[in-house]
Amino acid sequence: MNLKRKDLLDIESLSKEEIELILETARPFKKLFTQSIKRVPTLRGKTVALLFYEPSTRTRISFEVAAKRLSADTVDLAVGNSSVQKGESLIDTGRTLEAMKVDFVVIRHPENGAAKLLSDKLKVHIVNAGDGTHEHPTQGLLDLFTLKEKRKDLKGMRVVILGDIAHSRVARSNAWGLIKMGAKVTLCGPPALMPAELGKMFGKAVHIEHDLAKAVRSADAINVLRIQKERMMDGLIPSFPVYTEQYGLTPKILKLAKKDCLVLHPGPMNRGIEIASEVADGPRSVILEQVTNGIAVRMAVLYLLAGSK
Ligand code: CP
């Protein structure tokens, strides 16, 4: 079975069956990581172009490792040294890569809809690696994979997405994925970081809670979002210490959740702001497992898109 789509742009448009297919396909790829040879010939002869207009450590390297473990070639377009600096448009850069006969363009861009724009104009497979505040679908999928690996069934699981919801594409992708898989989602953060359109977007499918102690009670998992200093408009929060006091995930707050509550964070972390180091490095943290799982999930996405109609 393959995905019946050329591109992966978001989780909102994925069906539950498509999400399950991606997660199931990722499982055997993860098993490969314990072998001495971690590579399969599946995408030999294919080329994956990495087109990142924003900084990234995890996602960029994860896609590169995923492509290489599938035996694909990778080209990493250093946007800072490219013709983008001479004013070349996104579409012209995309068309240039297509003319070089790459098979995939993995794009991260500060504007919502950038991946969709390339998807509409190009025949190559487009994978959204994060567009503005819209979505970061492979992050959402790797978070689902991590939760499912630990708890088997996502249905009925109580998951809190905590922090800067307003600026977070990770929050949107996670919320869509969790809702489709039947989890109970609570969005928690200060009112100024909870956009009004959330109600319209998710309706009654998510619970909104501004009180962190209430939100984490009986939680099975807490996904802590990064405070995005680069997207933060002045004055949205009084100060980082005040934010930490009210919304930081500390050992004291974590004690209010279920005993085996999992802690996730997409990274990069602001230790001591949205998450205490004791929590990030503690026994309930699955943050580094998320990173490992990200490679397996991205291998699954590349593999399934390559075989799509
Ligand atoms: N989680 C995530 O997107 O991290 P990077 O910005 O390092 O890719």
Side-chain angles (χ1 to χ4, degrees):
M1 203 174 144
N2 274 308
L3 289 174
K4 290 182 181 58
R5 54 178 70 228
K6 175 175 86 68
D7 308 311
L8 177 67
L9 304 180
D10 55 34
I11 295 189
E12 182 180 359
S13 68
L14 289 181
S15 65
K16 183 176 184 240
E17 291 68 33
E18 285 177 297
I19 294 172
E20 279 170 347
L21 174 64
I22 295 168
L23 303 187
E24 283 307 307
T25 306
R27 268 159 31 117
F29 283 134
K30 187 174 177 187
K31 287 207 179 109
L32 194 69
F33 303 171
T34 55
Q35 312 284 311
S36 59
I37 297 172
K38 300 177 183 58
R39 189 178 282 232
V40 287
T42 319
L43 293 190
R44 188 181 287 153
K46 303 279 186 198
T47 304
V48 178
L50 305 171
L51 181 56
F52 278 58
Y53 288 77
E54 279 186 348
S56 167
T57 300
R58 275 145 291 271
T59 312
R60 188 173 55 76
I61 293 175
S62 182
F63 269 111
E64 185 167 353
V65 174
K68 288 190 165 141
R69 287 191 183 165
L70 291 166
S71 301
D73 297 314
T74 57
V75 283
D76 190 352
L77 193 128
V79 167
N81 291 331
S82 75
S83 292
V84 170
Q85 300 307 316
K86 299 176 190 163
E88 184 169 73
S89 73
L90 173 60
I91 292 170
D92 282 336
T93 300
R95 283 188 175 138
T96 303
L97 291 171
E98 187 165 65
M100 292 176 185
K101 305 298 177 201
V102 306
D103 300 282
F104 295 87
V105 175
V106 177
I107 178 172
R108 170 169 291 189
H109 198 279
E111 299 293 330
N112 294 15
K116 170 84 167 74
L117 187 66
L118 282 191
S119 159
D120 290 342
K121 300 285 179 193
L122 305 184
K123 290 192 177 65
V124 299
H125 299 289
I126 305 296
V127 183
N128 182 7
D131 61 330
T133 59
H134 171 230
E135 279 220 37
H136 188 351
T138 55
Q139 180 69 47
L141 289 164
L142 77 88
D143 291 342
L144 293 177
F145 182 93
T146 305
L147 293 172
K148 198 166 187 296
E149 197 175 49
K150 296 284 173 197
R151 294 288 185 271
K152 310 291 178 240
D153 197 357
L154 297 171
K155 196 163 189 295
M157 196 172 179
R158 291 182 179 276
V159 183
V160 179
I161 303 174
L162 167 62
D164 180 4
I165 311 285
H167 299 97
S168 180
R169 52 200 178 206
V170 175
R172 283 165 188 71
S173 287
N174 262 271
W176 282 122
L178 289 163
I179 292 166
K180 283 166 196 267
M181 300 307 286
K184 295 188 171 137
V185 182
T186 298
L187 302 177
C188 178
L193 296 179
M194 292 275 215
E197 81 257 18
L198 278 179
K200 264 190 253 161
M201 195 182 287
F202 300 117
K204 290 200 168 71
V206 299
H207 174 64
I208 308 266
E209 177 58 69
H210 299 297
D211 182 329
L212 178 56
K214 279 189 194 158
V216 303
R217 219 161 275 151
S218 76
D220 293 297
I222 305 170
N223 197 341
V224 187
L225 304 170
R226 180 172 70 89
I227 280 288
Q228 300 193 29
K229 295 173 187 168
E230 75 277 22
R231 288 188 222 274
M232 191 74 76
M233 310 275 282
D234 281 348
L236 282 178
I237 55 173
S239 68
F240 290 123
V242 170
Y243 179 85
T244 303
E245 178 67 29
Q246 293 181 341
Y247 292 102
L249 189 61
T250 58
K252 191 174 151 197
I253 288 290
L254 189 55
K255 272 201 183 121
L256 302 174
K258 280 190 182 161
K259 273 197 171 62
D260 59 352
C261 176
L262 301 168
V263 175
L264 297 90
H265 192 302
M269 289 184 277
N270 296 299
R271 286 173 181 265
I273 299 182
E274 73 263 6
I275 190 165
S277 275
E278 304 93 297
V279 175
D281 302 330
R284 307 212 206 151
S285 167
V286 291
I287 294 169
L288 290 177
E289 287 179 63
Q290 288 173 266
V291 176
T292 305
N293 294 339
I295 297 173
V297 166
R298 288 172 178 125
M299 287 174 80
V301 167
L302 294 173
Y303 166 76
L304 290 168
L305 290 179
S308 66
K309 294 277 176 289

